[in-house]
Amino acid sequence: MREEWRTQTGFVLATIGSAVGLGNIWRFSYVAGESGGGAFLAIYLVFVVLIGLPLMIAEFALGRRGGGDVVQAFSAASPRWRGAGWLLAAGALVILSYYTVIAGWVLKYLAGALSGTLWTAAQTGYGAYFARFIANTGEPVLWQAAILLIAMLVVAGGVRRGIERLNMWLMPLLAVIVVLLALFALTLPGAGAGVRFLLAPDWSVFARPDVYVAAIGQAFFSLGVGMAVMITYASYMGRQFRIPVSATAIVGGDTLFAVVAGLAIFPAVFALGGNPAAGPELAFITLPQIFLNMPFGSVVAPVFFFLLAAAALTSMVSLLEVPVAVAVHRLALGRRRATLLAGGLVFLLGLPSALSYGLLADVTLAGQPILDAVDRAVSSMLLPLGGLLVALCVGWAANRAVVVAEADLPDAALARLWVWLLRVPVPLLLVVVFLRAVGAI
Ligand code: TRP
């Protein structure tokens, strides 16, 4: 029997759970920090509305219409597009492989904050603490396996009993936590500089092309479009659910979450003299130091790392569901076996990333450690490519009347605008980003 979400709220919360993840907290804060803050945020918002929202609606329409896994979704739209489905399913495995490794680091920090070992580590500094941890061979792999197992248990539980149920209680809780953290950070003396950094644009940043590329990559990553997750989740959506309402709620919710997380992180960073442009290590080196120096830090730290771990988990679950759905439909496996197969693949694929600062520290790709290179390739090449395929398939290859009816936009002018965005501006922009990423322009 086909699985379906129990309620529209459950579907929306599960998709917000997919969208809200390490991308909103860890990645958004470090990318915004490196890319100049307020100006980055403005560019980011424009891309979210112009590219993210139309693509999300396209993925929903494609997925619900197909009514199965991602391969079926593409071949139902146009038989010649079947291969795109396989490509996106493989892409989801690649993203999940390194995402799981970082989620594992978060779990380790959560355990450290709860047990108190995170505080004793302070004597040698968090730079050394973090470097020692990731240079280790066994430990990162152990934490990677631990969080992957939790995600596998949820996915094996099924769409309603596993995925929907987890998100129904976890997502509202996370919203409360991030708001409380922001309110607390805003009371710190000197918090104003952090708020200004995030919200007031520095105009010179608009002239930096790399900021635009970073903003598109971040928008895709954070919304979770471009890698078939939304296609797969939409395939479990009933006819009566409204696609435009859901997509707007998800895009708005995800963006709001990133901004509020920024309002928790930057005021704290500025109030306690951290460097906002610290890069990926912001959450793992800069923030723990801040927690240590801040009033009530021993309470805030476990709450923050719980937020990060739980947000990562709900995103992992959604990414894992993509290959699991493919295995269930294409290989006729039961859900449990499909989960074991996909989870096993994710673990193996993730090993090079998990070991990229330890055993494999000497191996570099394009001059970077393996994990960093994979993250870069995913956000600036794989996701734009996936988005391009979705836009071209829905905008050009599929039957226009069918996709417009499926997307169910409230009026004909909006529907025309949507199709036009998918046909021309979105592919053009994505081609530019892709060519830039591969160094062609
Ligand atoms: N959006 C998630 C985050 O912000 C990660 C994620 C989930 C994702 N599904 C995706 C990224 C699909 C790219 C494509 O952390």
Side-chain angles (χ1 to χ4, degrees):
M1 203 202 76
R2 264 196 54 68
E3 291 187 274
E4 241 180 51
W5 302 105
R6 202 166 57 79
T7 62
Q8 177 155 359
T9 312
F11 163 70
V12 169
L13 287 179
T15 21
I16 293 187
S18 166
V20 170
L22 294 174
N24 300 62
I25 308 164
W26 162 73
R27 204 171 190 286
F28 176 82
S29 57
Y30 98 70
V31 176
E34 282 180 342
S35 306
F40 168 85
L41 182 60
I43 297 168
Y44 175 79
L45 291 177
V46 172
F47 285 145
V48 161
V49 174
L50 276 189
I51 300 187
L53 186 58
L55 271 179
M56 180 148 330
I57 295 174
E59 287 203 18
F60 283 166
L62 203 58
R64 181 163 74 179
R65 182 79 206 163
D69 59 309
V70 55
V71 178
Q72 190 172 326
F74 273 97
S75 55
S78 166
R80 286 174 35 208
W81 281 75
R82 207 182 158 78
W86 284 105
L87 191 76
L88 262 63
L93 283 175
V94 172
I95 298 183
L96 193 49
S97 72
Y98 84 97
Y99 197 89
T100 302
V101 172
I102 303 168
W105 299 350
V106 176
L107 201 58
K108 145 104 182 169
Y109 270 70
L110 172 60
L114 286 172
S115 71
T117 52
L118 196 60
W119 311 124
T120 47
Q123 289 135 15
T124 49
Y126 288 102
Y129 175 74
F130 184 57
R132 226 180 311 122
F133 165 53
I134 60 176
N136 205 290
T137 301
E139 241 201 311
V141 175
L142 210 70
W143 292 104
Q144 170 206 12
I147 193 140
L148 183 58
L149 271 180
I150 304 176
M152 286 168 67
L153 281 177
V154 176
V155 170
V159 173
R160 282 191 185 188
R161 286 196 321 138
I163 304 176
E164 186 166 359
R165 218 168 44 174
L166 173 79
N167 283 288
M168 280 297 269
W169 67 269
L170 207 46
M171 293 319 292
L173 177 66
L174 295 190
V176 172
I177 290 181
V178 77
V179 168
L180 288 179
L181 284 178
L183 288 177
F184 176 70
L186 291 171
T187 64
L188 296 171
V195 177
R196 274 193 301 282
F197 176 78
L198 183 64
L199 300 182
D202 163 2
W203 299 100
S204 67
V205 172
F206 287 103
R208 282 168 51 188
D210 60 300
V211 173
Y212 293 81
V213 175
I216 292 199
Q218 174 59 20
F220 270 69
F221 192 94
S222 181
L223 295 174
V225 294
M227 243 356 99
V229 167
M230 298 302 167
I231 295 176
T232 306
Y233 269 15
S235 73
Y236 307 122
M237 173 166 49
R239 294 279 141 209
Q240 72 285 12
F241 291 9
R242 306 298 311 271
I243 286 182
V245 177
S246 309
T248 311
I250 294 153
V251 167
D254 182 66
T255 307
L256 194 63
F257 208 101
V259 172
V260 177
L263 287 176
I265 292 172
F266 290 113
V269 169
F270 277 83
L272 290 129
N275 173 13
E281 59 187 54
L282 188 66
F284 297 103
I285 296 176
T286 313
L287 286 181
Q289 189 62 49
I290 287 172
F291 292 142
L292 185 74
N293 296 335
M294 142 172 136
F296 305 107
S298 55
V299 181
V300 174
V303 171
F304 175 81
F305 286 111
F306 172 78
L307 169 74
L308 204 50
L313 179 67
T314 53
S315 299
M316 288 176 60
V317 162
S318 73
L319 281 159
L320 188 57
E321 180 64 18
V322 175
V324 166
V326 171
V328 166
H329 290 97
R330 301 295 119 208
L331 311 178
L333 291 182
R335 178 170 271 278
R336 287 195 180 171
R337 279 171 185 248
T339 309
L340 267 179
L341 175 68
L345 271 174
V346 166
F347 178 71
L348 293 178
L349 274 176
L351 283 178
S353 292
L355 299 174
S356 55
Y357 309 94
L359 211 55
L360 301 178
D362 297 333
V363 183
T364 56
L365 299 173
Q368 290 178 310
I370 298 171
L371 186 144
D372 303 54
V374 177
D375 180 45
R376 269 285 272 293
V378 162
S379 72
S380 53
M381 294 192 235
L382 203 55
L383 294 177
L385 182 65
L388 183 66
L389 292 175
V390 171
L392 293 179
C393 180
V394 175
W396 293 98
N399 178 314
R400 182 184 169 125
V402 170
V403 289
V404 166
E406 190 72 50
D408 189 23
L409 288 154
D411 72 71
L414 269 182
R416 270 200 302 280
L417 175 65
W418 174 63
V419 173
W420 178 75
L421 283 170
L422 291 176
R423 286 191 160 183
V424 187
V426 170
L428 278 179
L429 260 166
L430 293 179
V431 168
V432 171
V433 171
F434 185 78
L435 290 179
R436 229 195 123 74
V438 297
I441 50 174

